Amino acid sequence: MLNFELYNPTKLIFGKNQYEKLKTEIPKNATILMTYGGGSIMKNGVYNNVIKALQGYEIIEFGGIEANPTFETLMKAVAIVKENNIDFILAVGGGSVIDGTKFIAAAANYEGENAWDILAKGALIKTAIPFGTVLTLPATGSEMNSGAVISKKETDEKLVFGSPLLFPKFSITDPTVIQSLPLRQLQNGVIDAYVHVLEQYLTYPSNAFLQDRIAESVLQTLIEVGPKVLKNPSDYIIASNFMWCCTMALNGLLSKGVPTDWATHMIGHELTALHGLDHAQSLAVIGPNLYKVQFEFKKEKLAQYGKRVWNLTGSDEEIAQKAIIKTQEFYQSLGVKTSLSEYSNSYKDTSQIISNRFKERGWIGLGEHKNINLEKVVEIVEMSY
Ligand code: NZQ
Ligand code: ZN
């Protein structure tokens, strides 16, 4: 097992009817900026529940944070935070609203000239406005981690940043919120969580027995509840297990003591930026092809995954090959497409554009071995057409 440090200060408040606790978690006398997305919270009752629980607080609302939140929109919220001496932010939404809120929390206190440097140059975040979340879409794990992904409209870029200062103070995660999710977002949630586990598991053996078993349990639970949650998101048992899987998949625990990959995400982000695929759709397209190109380096873990998660039999080599096919079939069985041409007609230059961008950013060796070079990126993307 590799050395590790574990730090996660987020208080997770899980289950039904937890909104009342907002009052005990948010400091009295706080002036709150409440952030949300395109309005789903108005339709499903979450907005009313939050407002009711926060009676007596001064609240300024900032709605309209889009899926794949943009720098341009978020900077408007940063101005509001500065003008109104906001001392607490409450994000009510999915990964996009929570990620956007992390950026607002960091950019509002950022002293440099251009807050985009936080993303483009990894500028150091020295302080951040405290924030909490009310999660409405299980998928990203953003409710219990300190990372975020922000897009820039002007340049069609999508970049990642993070800081230990950006863990939510608390997150209210109520599994009943998924009842109002469209099928597509449920599909996205299952796949995003599944791929988060694979990014931290499908690498090479590192004698981290417990981590492997935890990762495999999250995968097996997602295989069990994923198809059911699509059919009946009102089933509380299924919804609660699904939601907990999504949080566990990316709250930092699985990555401790093991190598991690994340190249599927880095390439996938470009498909979202260039072709508008939902985040999880991009992962379903790229992931299986990346495992094929990296087969020699991943085959031991692929075989372990095939045996333990899919109960496959045969030689290790055969099991490893079949495990990739099983994974792709799993995504397809959830109704998610696994090739780029099923989403876009104008994809022919994609591999070259991505390769050029990675070169400019100096991303010339991705993955757990840092050996996914630009040629391999091109190969993976072209296999994904
Ligand atoms: O904007 P509203 O009206 O709220 O509608 C949203 C949005 O259209 C809707 N929705 C959310 N909760 C709902 C609901 N509709 C009905 N009922 C509800 N209860 O769903 C749509 C998608 O929401 P979004 O927040 O974009 O989805 P998701 O949670 O999948 O977040 C995706 C973003 O997170 C980033 C992705 O790159 C993407 O930008 N990620 C963040 C990560 C992190 N912070 O750790 C890791 C992930 O790998 C991922 O990259
Ligand atoms: Zn993801």
Side-chain angles (χ1 to χ4, degrees):
M1 209 185 311
L2 309 177
N3 292 356
F4 67 85
E5 290 183 11
L6 176 59
Y7 172 72
N8 192 321
T10 300
K11 178 170 178 180
L12 197 78
I13 303 174
F14 184 94
K16 289 178 193 173
N17 306 324
Q18 304 283 339
Y19 295 99
E20 274 297 308
K21 299 199 176 141
L22 283 170
K23 252 196 202 124
T24 47
E25 297 303 323
I26 301 181
K28 304 273 170 271
N29 307 320
T31 303
I32 303 171
L33 181 74
M34 176 176 158
T35 52
Y36 56 89
S40 70
I41 63 165
M42 306 293 176
K43 293 183 208 138
N44 60 13
V46 173
Y47 176 85
N48 284 344
N49 286 332
V50 170
I51 293 294
K52 201 168 130 203
L54 289 180
Q55 267 171 20
Y57 283 91
E58 191 183 331
I59 304 173
I60 296 174
E61 293 182 18
F62 184 83
I65 297 180
E66 56 280 78
N68 306 307
T70 65
F71 173 72
E72 287 85 350
T73 300
L74 300 171
M75 286 310 287
K76 292 181 193 158
V78 169
I80 295 174
V81 170
K82 288 182 177 167
E83 277 159 27
N84 296 279
N85 294 321
I86 297 291
D87 29 40
F88 198 90
I89 313 180
L90 181 65
V92 185
S96 294
V97 171
I98 299 175
D99 281 11
T101 299
K102 289 175 180 173
F103 181 76
I104 298 165
N109 283 359
Y110 181 67
E111 285 167 0
E113 256 178 38
N114 183 357
W116 182 248
D117 289 349
I118 295 173
L119 289 137
K121 298 186 181 161
L124 187 68
I125 296 158
K126 293 184 190 150
T127 63
I129 312 249
F131 67 96
T133 90
V134 174
L135 180 70
T136 65
L137 196 174
T140 63
S142 191
E143 68 279 5
M144 202 176 173
N145 70 39
S146 59
V149 195
I150 306 298
S151 300
K152 196 177 192 187
K153 254 192 245 161
E154 191 195 336
T155 49
D156 280 338
E157 281 174 288
K158 187 173 187 191
L159 296 172
V160 177
F161 82 110
S163 157
L165 297 169
L166 292 175
F167 282 99
K169 298 288 168 208
F170 66 84
S171 283
I172 293 192
T173 60
D174 176 346
T176 64
V177 297
I178 75 161
Q179 290 173 24
S180 60
L181 280 172
L183 176 66
R184 174 170 141 198
Q185 299 305 339
L186 292 164
Q187 293 165 322
N188 286 346
V190 178
I191 289 186
D192 196 18
Y194 198 87
V195 180
H196 291 160
V197 180
L198 293 183
E199 297 271 29
Q200 302 164 91
Y201 168 83
L202 222 43
T203 56
Y204 55 87
S206 61
N207 295 316
F209 303 149
L210 179 61
Q211 293 310 86
D212 281 1
R213 296 280 185 197
I214 301 173
E216 288 152 4
S217 338
V218 179
L219 296 172
Q220 285 171 314
T221 311
L222 284 167
I223 292 167
E224 182 180 345
V225 302
K228 294 180 184 158
V229 86
L230 305 188
K231 284 205 189 93
N232 188 6
S234 303
D235 180 329
Y236 187 76
I237 294 173
I238 298 299
S240 52
N241 281 289
F242 166 53
M243 198 169 215
W244 183 221
C245 279
C246 294
T247 302
M248 276 299 289
L250 197 50
N251 64 2
L253 193 63
L254 292 184
S255 64
K256 300 305 165 198
V258 297
T260 58
D261 182 341
W262 294 111
T264 297
H265 270 69
M266 303 326 273
I267 302 172
H269 289 163
E270 298 302 321
L271 298 190
T272 300
L274 295 167
H275 297 289
L277 274 68
D278 289 348
H279 171 62
Q281 295 171 340
S282 76
L283 305 177
V285 167
I286 296 294
N289 295 312
L290 184 136
Y291 312 143
K292 284 180 199 159
V293 170
Q294 287 294 84
F295 188 79
E296 278 311 308
F297 308 98
K298 290 187 183 289
K299 65 182 175 190
E300 283 172 273
K301 285 306 279 287
L302 274 166
Q304 179 180 320
Y305 161 66
K307 282 181 218 168
R308 293 192 187 172
V309 175
W310 291 109
N311 300 314
L312 299 173
T313 52
S315 70
D316 278 5
E317 186 92 5
E318 282 163 4
I319 293 173
Q321 301 277 9
K322 275 194 236 165
I324 300 176
I325 297 167
K326 272 280 181 190
T327 306
Q328 199 166 32
E329 285 174 356
F330 176 56
Y331 302 157
Q332 289 163 348
S333 76
L334 297 170
V336 177
K337 298 164 187 158
T338 52
S339 49
L340 182 56
S341 53
E342 294 175 273
Y343 292 100
S344 162
N345 293 324
S346 56
Y347 56 83
K348 297 242 161 63
D349 299 335
T350 307
S351 61
Q352 214 44 61
I353 297 173
I354 296 178
S355 158
N356 291 343
R357 285 179 164 199
F358 282 14
K359 191 174 173 189
E360 266 168 40
R361 294 178 198 148
W363 296 2
I364 49 171
L366 300 180
E368 66 275 16
H369 292 289
K370 305 202 181 315
N371 67 354
I372 304 184
N373 57 22
L374 297 177
E375 290 77 44
K376 282 190 187 174
V377 168
V378 168
E379 191 184 351
I380 293 163
V381 175
E382 292 183 359
M383 279 168 78
S384 306
Y385 285 173

